[in-house]
Amino acid sequence: MGSVFLPNLRSGWHVDQAIVSEEERLVVIRFGRTRECMLMDEMLYQVAEKVRNFVAIYLCDIDEVPDFNEMYELTDPMCLMFFYKNKHMMCDFGTGNNNKLNFLVDDEQELIDIMETIFRGARKNKGMVVSPYDYNHKRPPE
């Protein structure tokens, strides 16, 4: 249901504009395949109203808009990426991948805390922040 209410970015230009045009808020883009992202989309929809003052949330289907798949290594079925003032924000989740969040966060407050931590770090001109939660256990099996 969340994918119906959150803005969908339908082209590379729309993705660029979402990232470039936001001057004050953290931009969170869920990249992935819409069918495989339903749980995360629902979670994003649930927190969207609560974080609207400091986060802008968008969805982007990587099959419909493949423009960034190679640049951002978008091979996972679902991932969140964070941007602030046209700058990619990285976060250490304890998984070894600091570029994006590529697992489901199924707790509203946890997701809000992550967004708030990244936003606060971004406002202090930090390019990378440490997640308030350690997701080392979320590491995919090798």
Side-chain angles (χ1 to χ4, degrees):
M1 189 64 139
S3 59
V4 174
F5 294 106
L6 295 169
N8 279 280
L9 304 172
R10 301 279 183 202
S11 71
W13 184 85
H14 289 104
V15 173
D16 279 339
Q17 290 305 301
I19 293 169
V20 172
S21 64
E22 188 59 58
E23 290 292 322
E24 297 299 322
R25 297 184 295 173
L26 179 70
V27 175
V28 175
I29 302 177
R30 189 276 294 144
F31 287 102
R33 294 181 174 87
T34 303
R35 287 185 184 161
E36 298 172 29
C37 296
M38 286 186 197
L39 292 173
M40 182 55 91
D41 289 357
E42 185 63 31
M43 186 59 58
L44 290 168
Y45 173 67
Q46 288 175 15
V47 304
E49 184 65 22
K50 296 172 184 169
V51 300
R52 75 175 191 271
N53 290 333
F54 67 96
V55 177
I57 300 172
Y58 299 95
L59 310 177
C60 183
D61 188 302
I62 59 174
D63 292 327
E64 187 179 326
V65 184
D67 307 37
F68 301 95
N69 293 357
E70 189 175 325
M71 181 189 335
Y72 293 137
E73 300 174 1
L74 300 175
T75 56
D76 302 301
M78 185 283 306
C79 72
L80 294 183
M81 293 191 72
F82 306 90
F83 302 88
Y84 185 74
K85 292 189 178 182
N86 197 23
K87 182 180 176 186
H88 176 212
M89 292 299 301
M90 294 192 289
C91 186
D92 182 0
F93 297 104
T95 61
N97 185 351
N98 299 333
N99 293 321
K100 56 192 169 219
L101 186 150
N102 59 357
F103 51 86
L104 176 65
V105 175
D106 55 2
D107 180 84
E108 255 183 72
Q109 192 56 52
E110 249 180 70
L111 188 56
I112 291 170
D113 291 346
I114 290 168
M115 291 176 180
E116 187 174 3
T117 299
I118 296 171
F119 176 71
R120 288 177 189 267
R123 293 209 27 188
K124 294 177 182 173
N125 291 322
K126 294 184 178 183
M128 176 140 117
V129 298
V130 177
S131 168
Y133 303 95
D134 184 8
Y135 294 102
N136 191 30
H137 63 282
K138 294 272 188 178
R139 189 175 296 185
E142 296 182 23

